[in-house]
Amino acid sequence: MQEALQRHAEGLKYRERNAGTQIDDQMKDEGFNNEIGVDWETGFVFGGNEHNCGTWMDKMGSSAKAGNKGKPATPRSGSAVELVGLSMSALTWLEKLAAQKVYPYDGVSAIKNGVSTKVTFNDWCALIKSNFEKHFWINVDQEAEYEPHPELINRRGIYKDSFFAKPFWADFQLRPNFPIAMIVAPQLFTPEHAWIALTQAEEVLLGSLGMKTLDPRDWAYVGDYDNSNDSSDPKVAHGFNYHNGPEWIWPIGYFLRAKLYYAKALEPKKKGLLKSTISFIKTRLTSHYAHVMDSPWQSLPELTNSNGQFCASSCPAQAWSVACVLEVLYDLEEVGLVDDIAPRRNSADLSQQTVLV
């Protein structure tokens, strides 16, 4: 763990071993050149470039006919919002372990202006926290924002998907990744801003089973995924839009958990918010219950097409889809205000009663 943190703190530029078609026959040569590090002005980890795929949104174009071969559909280079949140989570955890003398290190050696400098985990966390809202939040009020490029704003009241990405406009895309950071590092978010952003995600991205992977207002949005598409349209050929619209199931878990977390945080100021949010979450999860009970796999799929439609190119049973919904149920149970989660059904083929697991 310490070596991974230290390598990021120092920064690292490298070319992948055995780079070339023998390890990836789609990616362009430039994609094998990598750089990772920490921006010590903000504390944000960064990595990747516009020629490779750095996060779970990892679709690489493969159609020579359509001209998208070797082009990542979603490179998400720079500082991806969920990776900033995950790094904050790890650092906070290690800071506590170091204070308990369980972990033998309390920080890293960073290179700042060419000089090796000690940075404690506490200092690193404080740096991330002091910069996160400043650089990721896109304010509803145009007069109250810190944004050097307001002309790139496509939608307000959201958190950016990344910081210093290439292409530069990708920072401003609305995607379902910020709720992940909300759950793993809630201390980074102003609760009122978090609630506004979650409301936007609900109105714009929420589907029947999953979350749209891109704002439908975005020029790249295509909601239906077909990996066998052999057309000349670069936006969809060979499934190029894999993460540019189709509704993935697993992100809804983080979205619903974030709704619950911030409803609880805001309850003292907004009486009744927690109760209404629990009702909302229970209602949303009835669709998942019904799908599991009707599925021959007794499971949840990888993704759906637009508006929850069946997608033939989707895996019909995927572990993280189920796991992330189970985490919602766990969080609901922890709140302690829930009885059951699904509607009673009178089907003769259902042998078990509906209960909260």
Side-chain angles (χ1 to χ4, degrees), residues 219-240:
W219 69 271
Y221 174 85
V222 180
D224 297 336
Y225 171 63
D226 178 7
N227 195 48
S228 65
N229 184 299
D230 195 32
S231 72
S232 298
D233 184 349
K235 291 173 67 173
V236 296
H238 291 196
F240 194 72

Side-chain angles (χ1 to χ4, degrees), residues 188-202:
L188 293 178
F189 295 80
T190 301
E192 290 78 8
H193 292 172
W195 195 255
I196 292 171
L198 288 168
T199 301
Q200 285 274 52
E202 179 183 335

Side-chain angles (χ1 to χ4, degrees), residues 43-122:
F44 302 161
V45 293
F46 68 84
N49 59 53
E50 64 269 40
H51 304 292
N52 53 40
C53 309
T55 71
W56 76 276
M57 292 184 163
D58 57 354
K59 182 66 176 183
M60 178 64 73
S62 59
S63 173
K65 180 198 293 186
N68 66 25
K69 183 177 173 64
K71 296 180 180 179
T74 44
R76 303 191 68 232
S77 59
S79 301
V81 63
E82 75 275 22
L83 299 189
V84 174
L86 286 164
S87 64
M88 181 70 173
S89 178
L91 292 168
T92 302
W93 175 59
L94 290 176
E95 179 189 356
K96 291 177 181 177
L97 293 183
Q100 297 167 4
K101 307 299 182 183
V102 175
Y103 190 70
Y105 305 94
D106 67 350
V108 294
S109 297
I111 305 299
K112 297 184 178 181
N113 300 317
V115 179
S116 180
T117 306
K118 173 69 177 291
V119 179
T120 66
F121 295 142
N122 182 67

